[in-house]
Amino acid sequence: MSKVKVTIDGREVEVPAGSTIYEAAQQVGVEIPTFCYDPELTRVGACRICVVEVEKARALVASCAAPVGDGMVVHTESERVVKARKNILRLILGNHPLECMTCQKTGDCKLQDYCYYYGVNEAGFEGEVKELELDDTNPFIRRDMNKCLLCGKCVRKCEEINGATAIDFMNRGFISNVGPAFDDPLEESPCVFCGLCVDVCPVGALLPRESIGKGRPWQVEKKEVVCPYCGVGCSINLHIKDGEVIDASAVEDSPVNRGHLCTKGRFGWDFLQSEERLTSPLVKQNGVFVETGWEEALQEVAKRLTEVRQKYGNDALAGLSSAKVTNEENYLFQKFIRELGTNNVDHCARLCHSPTLAGMEKAFGIAGMTNTIEEITGAGVILVIGSNTTETHPVVSYRVKEAVNNGAGLIVVDPRETRLAVEADSFLQVRPGTDVALLNGLAHLIIKEDLVDQKFIEEKTEGFEELKKTLDGYTPEYVEKITGVPAGELREAARLFGAAEKGSILYTMGITSHTSGTNNVLSVCNLAMLTGNIGEESTGVNSLCGQNNVQGACDMGALPDKLAGEHSIEEKDTGLTAVEMMKAAAEGEVKAMYIMGENPLLSEPHLEHVQEAMEKLDFLVVQDIFLSETAQKADVVLPAAAFAEKDGTYTNTERRVQLSRAAVAAPGEARADWEILCGLANKLGMNWDFSSPEEIMKEIASRNPNYAGINYQRLEESKGLQWPCPDLGHAGTPVLHREGFARGRGKFHPVEYAPPSEETDSYYPLWLTTGRHIFHYHTSTMTGRSRGLGSHVPEEMVQVNPEDASRLDISGGDTVEVASRRGKLNARADLTDMVPPGTVFMTFHSSELAVNFLTSDEMDAEAKVPELKVCAVNVRKAEQSH
């Protein structure tokens, strides 16, 4: 790139051609005031506070937007510049409330700082002032547009980063304002309350409601933690005052989220301080919980587990670990269960990630997201299949939007017309459960139209000819009959993906949570290898984990068939999976369970059966932060510390191991899960002597070759390390399979389409598909205990297509009965074209509307994942409606 020389305040600097004057000034340490500038947004030069004097130029120029020229001489604090800036500040003050004494933004307000610097303490202009009504109607953001400078950063963040385009400039001249269309309330707009607008507002026009009046910026200590929600693993600063969290913000230099958050990460932290947190151990006596001490509680658990082992054998025990706790705690949990003599240990990855483990290991030799989140921005085409990315992994969707803005093609495959689907170049609205047929159809066309990467196939793969034979029958017309996707649209999508130099595939539970889950993943791997989209930047098979430590819990061996480091257990010694545990408990084979940080009475399929299984247990101990549905059934409840109350590491969806430190103390007598495990282990004679999570990580590094080069010191010095990291000199591995596949050659697997485990019929004529939405996670243990999130979306509904609703005489808001072959429940109807005729949709967050009473516990034969994503239902108007 060519360079130009420019002189700024007497200092010469050489910068890339095309740089702005502002960027050049930053290189020599010259500070120029700005209101409207943000390095990741388009340059608009709107506020003019950044004006500088350029020799030989007639007028002052906006440094944030003006490019440098070779030989340019710039003065950033000349008399002319200072006079202009003072006048700009006076004009702003002429129509700005002077409430600095009480304004929450005091101490972090650019207007205040610049007025102080330039000695401007009054407007000097008299005239009409805005008197706009304070918008305090939503639970997240307070809007005082009387303080707005019209810098436009909030508008551009909403459009260019999030893509919601919920706000824009309204009116003209003196009455110009920023807000939703028609000045509607923010909560009735497309706003998803990610908080990006709040974080860039230079004044007090936009404020987080929860923090108002709770502390000034100089009174707050910021502590960095890993977000407890989805698998992205965003870095968050918790704002602490007097030992309590009063606000949160994104970590600007995080390689994961780059200063961006979603609504849950930005506003969903206050469950930490809920009055309903568990604070002391509970033991059930005569059906009622009684508080007790740690010594008594641990002694009771040790005694009861020992009794079950002695009476029924070790395999009468089973344990569920958690994708919400740290790597260290997952490692200790599986170690604990195995030292009790059984491999009956699993966690919630069974419900989502297990087909990725099975499929990728068969195809590639190692299982994990192949590329980084950041690399998505450099893709030439992105195939999003079985993932409502804007709602389940919002920060990843920001990268998808950035890629599209850079010119990438976007293909979305989903039964519902999601927000990404609306924005896609190609939207393939597939029937639920037909992904293998669709993926085979894409692969068929890519071969037929000679869009394969022949060199990659010949040099790095095996099994191509066998795959080709299987794919011969998957013509576009045949695939259309199965999937409902028109043949012409399938052809266009295949050409778009096959012709791109770099193709990235993103998927989640829409691919994995099926009886065909492993075959779905294998089909995705086939497509990536056919086009050579493995082992290079901005390509890959990128599974997006649903919880913040799904990948880590798997890496730690919290699985019935694997030890830490993915070391497989002999088949004859394999333990029970999560679903199998419930069936075994119902049959009287499993007598006692230890459940840490999981809530199977909400998350498992066929909940009526799970309830029966729980009631048949001789003993149940639950370790959690709230008295969840599962904890209510326990004999002993152990109160645990939450994510922000303990040290430990988490491995995010891109295999990045990140260190999170305790920011606040746990409530009451609650303890970190690792401390509880150590105490219980020693009651059972295991003689563990771990004194910190750091010591546990040392043992993990000695057991798991992918973590051998990871320790706390290295994590402190970095922003995380991506495995494989085989030694202390290794920098981590952003891109898997760059030097070849772990199994030698990538293996194509011919797979045939098989229908879901059950079909629709005359009594159950509709397909139900399930998923998440952006405002909730687990309502009984997390988002439902958050004041903002809980009040903004207090109720879950069932999405019904208007065509179906008309046929069934259902109006929007009516209470309907949704029934499957396993159960039924009532929900209010939300009529929307997002779902096609013949399909309804419900979320699985809510304990009040537990959709898993309807779902099937039929399993994928290999990964043992249940079919959570599709089942046949009947929907009819209930007897009473709201």
Side-chain angles (χ1 to χ4, degrees), residues 290-304:
V290 176
E291 290 189 1
T292 189
W294 274 107
E295 179 65 24
E296 294 79 10
L298 294 178
Q299 191 63 50
E300 176 70 7
V301 174
K303 182 186 80 167
R304 298 289 296 275

Side-chain angles (χ1 to χ4, degrees), residues 399-445:
R399 305 299 170 258
V400 173
K401 179 173 179 60
E402 185 175 341
V404 171
N405 290 343
N406 292 339
L410 178 60
I411 304 165
V412 174
V413 181
D414 203 287
R416 296 195 303 149
E417 191 174 18
T418 62
R419 199 174 101 190
L420 268 190
V422 172
E423 298 169 2
D425 298 285
S426 174
F427 171 44
L428 308 180
Q429 193 161 28
V430 66
R431 289 191 186 113
T434 62
D435 301 284
V436 165
L438 183 128
L439 289 162
N440 278 357
L442 289 174
H444 168 95
L445 287 164

Side-chain angles (χ1 to χ4, degrees), residues 277-278 595-599 622-628 630-631 637-641 670 673 676 781:
R277 284 287 302 275
L278 292 170
I595 299 175
M596 175 180 71
E598 295 274 277
N599 190 11
V622 173
Q623 195 165 300
D624 214 323
I625 63 175
F626 288 102
L627 196 65
S628 67
T630 305
V637 177
L638 305 176
D673 294 282
I676 300 171
T781 56

Side-chain angles (χ1 to χ4, degrees), residues 224-229 238 240 245 268-274 276-279 294 322-329 548 596-597 623-626 638-650 660-676 693 778 780-783 785:
E224 186 174 334
V225 298
V226 174
C227 180
Y229 288 105
L238 293 181
I240 316 295
V245 183
W269 45 265
D270 56 322
F271 70 87
L272 289 167
Q273 287 144 201
S274 168
E276 296 175 296
R277 284 287 302 275
L278 292 170
T279 58
W294 274 107
S322 175
K324 306 304 296 178
V325 305
T326 67
N327 286 323
E328 293 79 3
E329 290 162 340
N548 71 331
M596 175 180 71
Q623 195 165 300
D624 214 323
I625 63 175
F626 288 102
L638 305 176
F643 77 103
E645 299 158 355
K646 60 189 176 183
D647 292 351
T649 62
Y650 300 88
S660 188
R661 293 292 194 183
V664 291
E669 297 178 44
R671 293 180 179 177
D673 294 282
W674 71 269
E675 293 180 285
I676 300 171
H778 303 141
S780 56
T781 56
M782 295 179 78
T783 55
R785 315 282 183 157

